[in-house]
């Protein structure tokens, strides 16, 4: 029979695979693509720094936990590019299966806690989930702006697509949404994105 410690260790070794899941956005200081682990870490730091921009006071520890686990499902499901219409059709089913397997590696109580946090994030059921989701959507915009629209230009993403997909940033932070709109408008002016 597996001990609690053995299950926890198995989970921790399994999530090391997150470092191998590449995203479509490049890191700011290099020409290589960002991986999911780097993205999750950066979001957790963003939560610490930007917490004062949330529309409502949030439980910061809960937000950080959500951000650290929200992409673990991509170990099995892969990273689905935000603007990939076909890939997003079955994304929820793929990720749900992955969540059950990955969180199921943990002792029952811990696995259920992480599964519930992941579901809350996905459903945007709380002010914490809405704020966490806002940061998740803002991060690639910041990177693309710093990288002169690299991903946007490579995949022919328009400013209209960016604004439409990310409008819900305002649900978690109106001030970060206003800043996002400024960045997109400046990106148009600088030729980082097409209108």
């Amino acid at each position: 029979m597996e001990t609690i410690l053995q299950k926890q260790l198995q989970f921790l070794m399994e999530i090391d695979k997150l470092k191998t899941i590449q995203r479509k956005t490049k890191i700011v200081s290099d020409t290589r693509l960002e991986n999911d682990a780097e993205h999750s870490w950066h979001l957790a730091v963003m939560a610490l720094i930007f917490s004062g921009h949330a529309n409502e006071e949030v439980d910061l520890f809960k937000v950080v936990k959500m951000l650290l686990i929200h992409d673990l499902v991509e170990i099995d499901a892969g990273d689905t590019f935000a603007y990939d219409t076909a890939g997003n059709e079955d994304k929820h089913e793929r990720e749900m299966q992955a969540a059950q397997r990955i969180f199921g590696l943990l002792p029952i109580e811990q696995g259920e806690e992480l599964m519930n946090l992941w579901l809350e994030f996905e459903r945007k059921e709380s002010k914490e989930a809405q704020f966490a989701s806002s940061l998740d959507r803002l991060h690639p915009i910041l990177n693309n702006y710093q990288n002169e629209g690299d991903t946007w230009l490579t995949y022919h993403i328009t400013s209209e697509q960016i604004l439409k997909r990310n409008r819900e940033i305002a649900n978690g932070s109106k001030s970060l949404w206003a800043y996002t709109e400024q960045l997109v408008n400046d990106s148009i002016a600088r030729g980082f994105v097409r209108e």
Side-chain angles (χ1 to χ4, degrees):
M1 177 184 269
E2 284 185 304
T3 67
I4 288 174
L5 178 61
Q6 287 170 323
K7 287 183 176 192
Q8 291 168 329
L9 287 169
Q10 182 183 10
F11 172 79
L12 291 172
M13 293 302 95
E14 183 67 14
I15 67 169
D16 190 69
K17 294 175 182 174
L18 197 65
K19 298 171 187 174
T20 68
I21 308 300
Q22 287 191 330
R23 297 169 50 80
K24 299 285 188 214
T25 304
K26 290 181 180 169
I27 62 172
V28 173
S29 60
D30 201 349
T31 58
R32 72 172 175 83
L33 295 174
E34 173 184 53
N35 69 51
D36 269 353
E38 293 166 324
H39 170 67
S40 297
W41 163 80
H42 210 150
L43 291 178
V45 175
M46 285 173 67
L48 298 177
I49 303 304
F50 286 158
S51 61
H53 293 279
N55 290 339
E56 300 178 61
E57 188 172 328
V58 294
D59 176 344
L60 186 56
F61 183 51
K62 185 176 184 181
V63 171
V64 169
K65 286 195 291 187
M66 283 181 183
L67 292 171
L68 289 174
I69 65 143
H70 82 287
D71 275 345
L72 292 180
V73 297
E74 294 183 4
I75 290 168
D76 289 356
D79 178 57
T80 305
F81 185 45
Y83 302 98
D84 177 359
T85 307
N88 277 289
E89 285 181 14
D90 68 343
K91 177 183 174 191
H92 178 73
E93 292 78 22
R94 288 184 288 115
E95 290 188 349
M96 181 60 79
Q97 252 185 335
Q100 290 168 344
R101 184 192 75 78
I102 294 165
F103 300 136
L105 296 172
L106 283 164
I108 292 171
E109 191 174 302
Q110 283 185 317
E112 287 177 354
E113 178 193 3
L114 295 190
M115 176 63 120
N116 289 334
L117 275 171
W118 179 76
L119 287 170
E120 184 178 333
F121 174 85
E122 287 295 305
R123 295 172 181 156
K124 299 171 188 72
E125 294 176 331
S126 63
K127 59 188 178 183
E128 286 81 13
Q130 290 173 349
F131 183 61
S133 179
S134 294
L135 299 176
D136 187 37
R137 288 175 184 260
L138 174 61
H139 183 237
I141 294 170
L142 294 174
N143 279 31
N144 270 290
Y145 182 79
Q146 293 298 316
N147 289 326
E148 300 181 353
D150 180 78
T151 304
W152 298 333
L153 295 171
T154 299
Y155 294 97
H156 311 288
I157 306 304
T158 65
S159 59
E160 182 182 343
Q161 287 174 288
I162 296 165
L163 293 171
K164 182 179 178 185
R165 180 182 191 283
N166 295 294
R167 200 172 309 281
E168 66 183 55
I169 289 173
N171 297 340
S173 174
K174 289 181 173 61
S175 62
L176 292 178
W177 173 241
Y179 182 68
T180 300
E181 290 180 304
Q182 289 174 10
L183 282 183
V184 172
N185 287 330
D186 195 45
S187 294
I188 295 167
R190 292 171 176 244
F192 298 169
V193 69
R194 296 178 301 122
E195 282 193 78

